[in-house]
Amino acid sequence: GAVVSQHPSRVICKSGTSVKIECRSLDFQATTMFWYRQFPKKSLMLMATSNEGSKATYEQGVEKDKFLINHASLTLSTLTVTSAHPEDSSFYICSAPGSGTSGYYEQYFGPGTRLTVT
Amino acid sequence: SQQGEEDPQALSIQEGENATMNCSYKTSINNLQWYRQNSGRGLVHLILIRSNEREKHSGRLRVTLDTSKKSSSLLITASRAADTASYFCATRGRGSTLGRLYFGRGTQLTVWP
């Protein structure tokens, strides 16, 4: 099946710094990618939809200036957490839809990035 | 909210037993998907059932969908210790952006050897 990678898998940073997380589709092209956030023992919360060649679409309540998304190519989307604070510590997961048949698409998820802000 | 809700939140069984997890949702859907997540890892797609389907099988997995009750169930037969993981249902609403999914809180399944 299709593979999505994320880098880094873990990152620890100090408050006030910025962190960039990469999401790559390795063997397929993705004009759309999705960024999720997951708190411990909780569900995935969709943060934004990343669109190649255009601006990302953010979910209600997600600060676009805080979480910068750039979909630079058909295989790469990046999420930058700017001026990180301890409350930004979380598990960030990206996904990309596969080329399903008849319009029914499954999602391929990256392995996630554990961000810890100290 | 379109978010699915799984039930139970946690399930603990012995190897060889069957595990049943339920999911309820609130709005009309295009399809419903089940995913598995091992601790601290990404999600793995298990099975997708379309809104016009009622039951689907894949190996030891059996999924049902009742759109009148807005509910789905995932049955894992003859469970193994390796099935220990969190299981999430996710719905894609009718007319929603391609691939946009709403996840429930998940069921934590523990299978004891």
Side-chain angles (χ1 to χ4, degrees), chain B residues 20 25 42 47 57 60 64 75 81 91 97 110:
Chain B
T20 299
Y25 57 92
I47 196 165
H57 297 252
R60 293 185 295 115
T64 63
L75 168 68
T91 56
T97 302
T110 303

Side-chain angles (χ1 to χ4, degrees), chain A residues 34 38 43 59 103-105 107, chain B residues 33 37 92 98-100 104:
Chain A
F34 300 92
Q38 185 180 34
S43 182
E59 294 298 301
Y104 297 97
Y105 294 84
Q107 290 285 314
Chain B
Q33 304 176 33
Q37 183 181 34
R92 180 189 167 195
L98 170 67
R100 200 162 171 226

Side-chain angles (χ1 to χ4, degrees), chain A residues 73-96:
Chain A
S73 73
L74 288 171
T75 59
L76 173 64
S77 174
T78 60
L79 168 68
T80 301
V81 182
T82 63
S83 187
H85 289 280
E87 56 264 31
D88 297 325
S89 298
S90 191
F91 193 55
Y92 293 87
I93 307 177
C94 69
S95 73

Side-chain angles (χ1 to χ4, degrees), chain A residues 6-102:
Chain A
Q6 276 183 247
H7 178 79
S9 57
R10 289 177 180 273
V11 57
I12 301 173
C13 70
K14 293 185 177 180
S15 285
T17 61
S18 294
V19 174
K20 180 186 283 189
I21 302 170
E22 293 185 347
C23 177
R24 292 181 185 273
S25 56
L26 296 186
D27 50 1
F28 68 105
Q29 293 183 334
T31 56
T32 302
M33 290 184 176
F34 300 92
W35 286 96
Y36 294 85
R37 181 175 183 177
Q38 185 180 34
F39 292 102
K41 300 194 177 185
K42 296 289 186 183
S43 182
L44 280 75
M45 182 190 79
L46 179 64
M47 298 175 65
T49 302
S50 174
N51 304 299
E52 192 270 336
S54 64
K55 291 183 179 180
T57 306
Y58 290 82
E59 294 298 301
Q60 194 171 13
V62 178
E63 299 176 61
K64 57 183 67 176
D65 295 330
K66 172 80 171 172
F67 298 100
L68 299 178
I69 290 172
N70 184 350
H71 202 130
S73 73
L74 288 171
T75 59
L76 173 64
S77 174
T78 60
L79 168 68
T80 301
V81 182
T82 63
S83 187
H85 289 280
E87 56 264 31
D88 297 325
S89 298
S90 191
F91 193 55
Y92 293 87
I93 307 177
C94 69
S95 73
S99 54
T101 59
S102 304

